[in-house]
Amino acid sequence: MSDASESASRPLGITMGDPCGIGPEIVARSLLDGLAPGSVVVGDPQVMRRALRQLVAAWPVAEVERPVDASDCPPRCVPVWAPPGLPTGLADLPMGRVDARAGAAAAACIEAGARAALDGALCALVTAPVHKEALSAAGVPYPGHTEMLQALAAAPGGQPPPVRMMLANPQLRTVLVTIHVSLREAIERVTFDAVLETVRIAHRAAVGWGDAAPRIAVAGLNPHAGEGGLFGDEELRIIGPAIAAARSEGIDARGPYAPDTVFMRARHAPPGHPGEFDVVVAMTHDHGLIPVKYLGVEDGVNVTLGLPFVRTSPDHGTAFDIAGRGVADARSLQAAIAMARPCAASAHRGN
Amino acid sequence: MSDASESASRPLGITMGDPCGIGPEIVARSLLDGLAPGSVVVGDPQVMRRALRQLVAAWPVAEVERPVDASDCPPRCVPVWAPPGLPTGLADLPMGRVDARAGAAAAACIEAGARAALDGALCALVTAPVHKEALSAAGVPYPGHTEMLQALAAAPGGQPPPVRMMLANPQLRTVLVTIHVSLREAIERVTFDAVLETVRIAHRAAVGWGDAAPRIAVAGLNPHAGEGGLFGDEELRIIGPAIAAARSEGIDARGPYAPDTVFMRARHAPPGHPGEFDVVVAMTHDHGLIPVKYLGVEDGVNVTLGLPFVRTSPDHGTAFDIAGRGVADARSLQAAIAMARPCAASAHRGN
């Protein structure tokens, strides 16, 4: 069997997310809409049955023993692979509430999905939203997906790989040097090594998707990218040298550019406005996310770069306020699914 | 004569900007296009004649002794009020170069325009771009318009008024707590007083334009607005209390909101996406300007709030690389002119 057909036969794993949030219903909605072909849900069959009822959908759930068995499922059913050891009674938990059992179940699905992706049993992993407090109540020592997946990707006894968060929509992709820390702390974490590593990760990822020579813009930290040192010197001391180092490795990194115009320049809205760059590396969470979210979060996808497998997720949370009503917008998850599959194929070809 | 007719008879002043940049030609273009009715150019007649030649336009320049005399000019001519003491030979300076005489002339026009606006001889002031290095070469002790206008607006022997920069386009208005300082320094300058004063200035300005009860969103400084103190405490210590103080003064200030979604929420793109807020107060230069510029700078207007007169300007610089070729885009200046006139009328009605 050739590599390409192997890749085609491996399903895409979609974790159900927190059972009390909108995760199960947007996963079910994506399958019902035919927008997740060749996928398997990593989750609890009863929770997925409840989600289908919430959507007033008559499709059955097909429990599979291994991810690969999903390809044997008939059409118009939802293949679900339940990791061993899920808590019982998950489908009886009230919707829209923080619950330790829900957090434990969500974490178990992420762990099983990640291990299956690492083993090659899944071609890629798409994760539905989890709730930080529910994970915490379950004693999960990670605040979210990114940190948990990073830890799971470490070789036994080894260091976890450096990973970075990318937010992407059809117009803009930004990769972040720093994420969930205070702005003060973020400035401290803008180091030569952190910037260079981010540029390298962005470059490798873009090459993996099929961009032969990705144009990587690096945003500055300070107004006007420091205006020659007048408004801060991180561009001169740190960011500029990191860009030069990346260029010496053959990476087409450019900048540092003024943060207030680099995203406008990168915005890809052809034919009138083709983007000047393929990816923008941003120093802070909000420099990068303000422009990606400005036109709406519906088609935004969160991608973890640097893992040994492809992982995407929607750009929103569990939406406890509307969970279980069947009204949640599944577009961001569907965009995450649509992005994962070709990325996985490219990554596979690249192996 | 009533106040309203007085207001109508006073011209709008438009400074020519740096004579070696695109200022004179975009000012001339706006008059030629009929988009600056009732205006007078504060500038050098020879420089404006050169700009008209660059645009291959046959309109004559009409030199006026006082701003008010512009209303006596015939149609299809460019009324120019030359402040006393302008350097000679300005129209012979090469285009696209930093020159101390150009900087001195640009500064003289700003000063004369500001004094005329303060005296009521101009209904409002629109300023074409100046070059920071040219101002500096001329010994002008201000880096740009905002600081210079603030100093000119001080009563003799008194303190300059607190002013703030606003960037506005038809979809979004953001008012900045901090501007041209490093991000490190900006964090230090996010104080209770600075935030409260910014909210007050934004409120007064919006009421002046005719918003009876403007909805003012205040963005946080940190990711997720600090996530309850987990990612920084400025929201809890400073920004939240400043919002509460503003509310106790009857101002409809809300927040602090997560920076990455507040601009999306405020974006006013009816009918599908009416904005939730009328103005967003941003803590840093780039939090505020990234979203305003994301869709393009063509219709962006820079407004100085807090001055005793209305002042607007285009959202770009002197563009030395294309100056004098007659190809500069005048839309941002035209948007600045369009915004100044009704603001001036509202401010006048409010007196």
Side-chain angles (χ1 to χ4, degrees):
Chain A
M1 191 185 270
S2 77
D3 275 6
S5 60
E6 252 183 64
S7 167
S9 69
R10 294 182 301 159
L12 178 76
I14 309 175
T15 60
M16 68 175 176
D18 190 293
C20 305
I22 61 170
E25 71 194 81
I26 60 176
V27 172
R29 167 58 61 208
S30 301
L31 285 148
L32 291 168
D33 289 351
L35 295 173
S39 298
V40 64
V41 180
V42 185
D44 180 69
Q46 296 292 356
V47 166
M48 292 310 298
R49 284 191 188 100
R50 175 165 76 166
L52 287 159
R53 282 198 304 275
Q54 287 161 349
L55 295 171
V56 199
W59 286 24
V61 159
E63 296 186 47
V64 298
E65 285 208 11
R66 301 172 306 167
V68 70
D69 298 334
S71 62
D72 299 332
C73 283
R76 301 177 65 80
C77 81
V78 174
V80 177
W81 173 51
L86 284 182
T88 55
L90 290 168
D92 300 323
L93 297 178
M95 298 301 301
R97 298 259 189 85
V98 170
D99 193 289
R101 285 164 295 175
C109 292
I110 297 166
E111 181 169 349
R115 294 204 189 284
L118 287 165
D119 292 347
L122 295 172
C123 73
L125 190 65
V126 177
T127 58
V130 294
H131 199 283
K132 198 180 297 179
E133 289 179 43
L135 291 180
S136 173
V140 176
Y142 307 105
H145 282 110
T146 306
E147 297 83 353
M148 189 169 173
L149 293 167
Q150 183 181 26
L152 289 166
Q159 286 294 311
V163 302
R164 292 294 186 277
M165 178 174 159
M166 177 172 84
L167 253 285
N169 63 32
Q171 296 200 344
L172 186 66
R173 296 169 180 158
T174 64
V175 181
L176 309 177
V177 174
T178 66
I179 48 173
H180 293 136
V181 293
S182 71
L183 194 57
R184 270 178 209 280
E185 176 66 22
I187 293 174
E188 300 307 324
R189 294 197 189 186
V190 172
T191 62
F192 176 88
D193 289 344
V195 175
L196 177 56
E197 191 69 59
T198 310
V199 172
R200 285 178 181 149
I201 289 173
H203 175 79
R204 274 199 298 270
V207 168
W209 311 319
D211 285 354
R215 300 162 299 172
I216 300 178
V218 182
L221 175 72
N222 295 295
H224 306 188
E227 187 94 38
L230 206 60
F231 309 150
D233 63 2
E234 285 84 356
E235 286 79 8
L236 298 172
R237 282 193 300 113
I238 297 168
I239 304 171
I243 293 169
R247 293 187 66 85
S248 76
E249 296 176 7
I251 297 175
D252 181 7
R254 314 174 193 181
Y257 294 114
D260 63 346
T261 48
V262 67
F263 302 100
M264 168 190 82
R265 294 172 60 187
R267 186 171 70 93
H268 185 64
H273 196 290
E276 285 182 51
F277 314 109
D278 298 304
V279 184
V280 184
V281 168
M283 297 300 129
T284 75
H285 181 275
D286 293 321
H287 285 182
L289 299 197
I290 286 171
V292 175
K293 297 190 174 184
Y294 184 56
L295 295 178
V297 296
E298 299 79 11
D299 54 6
V301 178
N302 182 333
V303 187
T304 309
L305 305 183
L307 292 173
F309 56 89
V310 170
R311 179 262 170 166
T312 68
S313 75
D315 182 23
H316 58 68
T318 49
F320 274 178
D321 53 325
I322 57 165
R325 292 194 217 152
V327 299
D329 189 331
R331 281 179 290 174
S332 183
L333 177 70
Q334 292 165 356
I337 294 168
M339 185 176 288
R341 198 165 271 293
C343 288
S346 301
H348 193 78
R349 278 197 304 276
N351 281 347
Chain B
M1 191 186 272
S2 77
D3 275 4
S5 61
E6 251 183 65
S7 167
S9 70
R10 293 183 302 158
L12 178 75
I14 309 175
T15 60
M16 67 176 177
D18 189 293
C20 304
I22 61 170
E25 71 193 79
I26 60 176
V27 172
R29 168 59 60 206
S30 301
L31 284 147
L32 291 167
D33 288 352
L35 294 173
S39 298
V40 64
V41 179
V42 186
D44 179 70
Q46 296 293 357
V47 166
M48 292 310 297
R49 283 191 188 99
R50 175 166 75 165
L52 287 159
R53 282 198 304 276
Q54 287 162 349
L55 295 171
V56 200
W59 287 23
V61 159
E63 297 187 46
V64 299
E65 286 207 9
R66 302 171 306 166
V68 71
D69 298 334
S71 61
D72 299 332
C73 283
R76 301 178 64 81
C77 81
V78 173
V80 176
W81 172 51
L86 283 182
T88 56
L90 290 169
D92 300 323
L93 297 179
M95 299 300 301
R97 297 262 189 84
V98 170
D99 193 291
R101 285 164 296 175
C109 292
I110 298 165
E111 180 168 350
R115 294 203 189 285
L118 287 164
D119 293 347
L122 295 172
C123 73
L125 190 65
V126 178
T127 59
V130 294
H131 198 283
K132 197 180 299 180
E133 288 178 43
L135 291 179
S136 172
V140 177
Y142 306 105
H145 281 111
T146 305
E147 298 83 354
M148 188 170 175
L149 293 167
Q150 181 181 29
L152 290 166
Q159 286 294 310
V163 302
R164 292 293 187 275
M165 179 174 159
M166 177 172 84
L167 253 285
N169 63 32
Q171 297 200 345
L172 185 67
R173 296 169 179 159
T174 64
V175 182
L176 308 177
V177 174
T178 65
I179 47 173
H180 293 137
V181 294
S182 71
L183 194 56
R184 272 178 208 279
E185 176 66 21
I187 294 175
E188 300 306 324
R189 294 196 187 186
V190 172
T191 62
F192 175 88
D193 289 345
V195 175
L196 177 56
E197 190 69 58
T198 310
V199 173
R200 284 177 181 150
I201 289 173
H203 175 79
R204 275 199 297 271
V207 169
W209 310 320
D211 285 354
R215 300 162 299 171
I216 300 178
V218 182
L221 174 72
N222 295 296
H224 306 187
E227 188 93 41
L230 206 60
F231 309 150
D233 62 1
E234 286 84 357
E235 286 79 7
L236 298 172
R237 284 193 299 113
I238 297 169
I239 305 169
I243 293 169
R247 293 187 67 85
S248 75
E249 297 176 7
I251 296 174
D252 181 7
R254 314 172 194 183
Y257 294 114
D260 63 345
T261 48
V262 67
F263 302 100
M264 168 190 81
R265 295 172 59 186
R267 187 170 69 92
H268 185 64
H273 196 289
E276 286 182 51
F277 314 109
D278 298 303
V279 184
V280 183
V281 168
M283 297 301 128
T284 75
H285 181 275
D286 293 320
H287 284 182
L289 299 198
I290 286 171
V292 175
K293 297 190 175 184
Y294 184 56
L295 294 178
V297 296
E298 299 78 12
D299 54 5
V301 178
N302 182 335
V303 186
T304 309
L305 305 182
L307 293 172
F309 56 89
V310 171
R311 178 262 170 166
T312 68
S313 75
D315 181 21
H316 58 69
T318 49
F320 274 178
D321 53 326
I322 57 164
R325 293 195 218 153
V327 298
D329 189 330
R331 282 179 291 173
S332 182
L333 177 71
Q334 291 164 356
I337 294 168
M339 185 175 287
R341 198 165 271 294
C343 288
S346 301
H348 194 79
R349 278 198 306 274
N351 281 346

